[in-house]
Amino acid sequence: CRLGVTPPPPGLLMPSFNTPAVSLWPRPLTGICCVLLASLLMFTPLRLAGVRVFSMASEAYLSGTHSAAFVTCPNEKVAKEIARGIVERKLAACVNIVPQITSVYEWKGSIEEDSEILLMIKTRSSKVPALAEYIRSVHPYEVSEVISLPIDQGNPPYLKWLSDTVPE
């Protein structure tokens, strides 16, 4: 024993270390560890919430607001008629007509190969159901292809134009 220091009572010694039974983690360090652990667990949800709040505050683009839809047509005449109808009805801001694609597919048990025209349609994601309904109503195929993919990123002025052109 050092002078002036009284030893702890016998029951408070840790047998393996022969030291007083105290927490190995000082109280401030324990609190910091708890905060860090909670921060790590909450990082993803807080980050996503923060991105949404920042997007609304700064008018930045929110991923998935718009979609690119794809439709195949049997010929250029049908493709142009459908494209014009889509834009006139404000179901999309723009339709690109991509000529001369070749489609290979199975139909009624046979492998088919046809020359087709592809429509690439840019619209609001909220308009895709109405777009699909319109295409089904005017398309000559028994089963028309209407698929869409969300737009994750893009040129901000273009995406703003798309929003301004296609109303909610």
Side-chain angles (χ1 to χ4, degrees):
C1 266
R2 284 186 264 157
L3 291 174
V5 177
T6 56
L12 290 181
L13 291 180
M14 293 182 69
S16 60
F17 298 105
N18 200 23
T19 59
V22 294
S23 171
L24 296 177
W25 294 86
R27 285 185 191 248
L29 190 55
T30 302
I32 291 171
C33 288
C34 288
V35 169
L36 287 175
L37 180 61
S39 297
L40 287 174
L41 293 174
M42 291 299 294
F43 178 74
T44 301
L46 290 174
R47 184 181 152 280
L48 291 174
V51 166
R52 289 183 187 268
V53 168
F54 179 76
S55 293
M56 290 185 288
S58 66
E59 295 185 33
Y61 181 69
L62 180 60
S63 178
T65 301
H66 301 105
S67 288
F70 302 92
V71 174
T72 52
C73 298
N75 57 55
E76 190 174 352
K77 180 178 184 275
V78 170
K80 285 182 178 181
E81 287 172 1
I82 291 174
R84 183 166 295 281
I86 290 168
V87 175
E88 285 173 351
R89 286 167 179 75
K90 300 232 176 251
L91 294 171
C94 176
V95 179
N96 299 116
I97 299 173
V98 182
Q100 294 182 300
I101 65 165
T102 300
S103 296
V104 178
Y105 56 96
E106 183 177 331
W107 181 248
K108 297 185 178 180
S110 298
I111 303 298
E112 304 288 336
E113 183 175 316
D114 286 316
S115 181
E116 294 184 295
I117 309 296
L118 178 67
L119 301 181
M120 190 171 83
I121 305 161
K122 278 76 70 181
T123 188
R124 288 181 178 271
S125 296
S126 62
K127 291 289 188 177
V128 171
L131 173 70
E133 184 179 325
Y134 171 73
I135 291 168
R136 283 192 305 271
S137 74
V138 298
H139 203 287
Y141 287 170
E142 184 179 336
V143 177
S144 54
E145 173 186 0
V146 182
I147 58 173
S148 72
L149 300 168
I151 296 173
D152 184 44
Q153 296 179 38
N155 179 20
Y158 180 84
L159 296 172
K160 183 180 180 327
W161 167 78
L162 206 163
S163 290
D164 293 345
T165 305
V166 180
E168 284 285 347

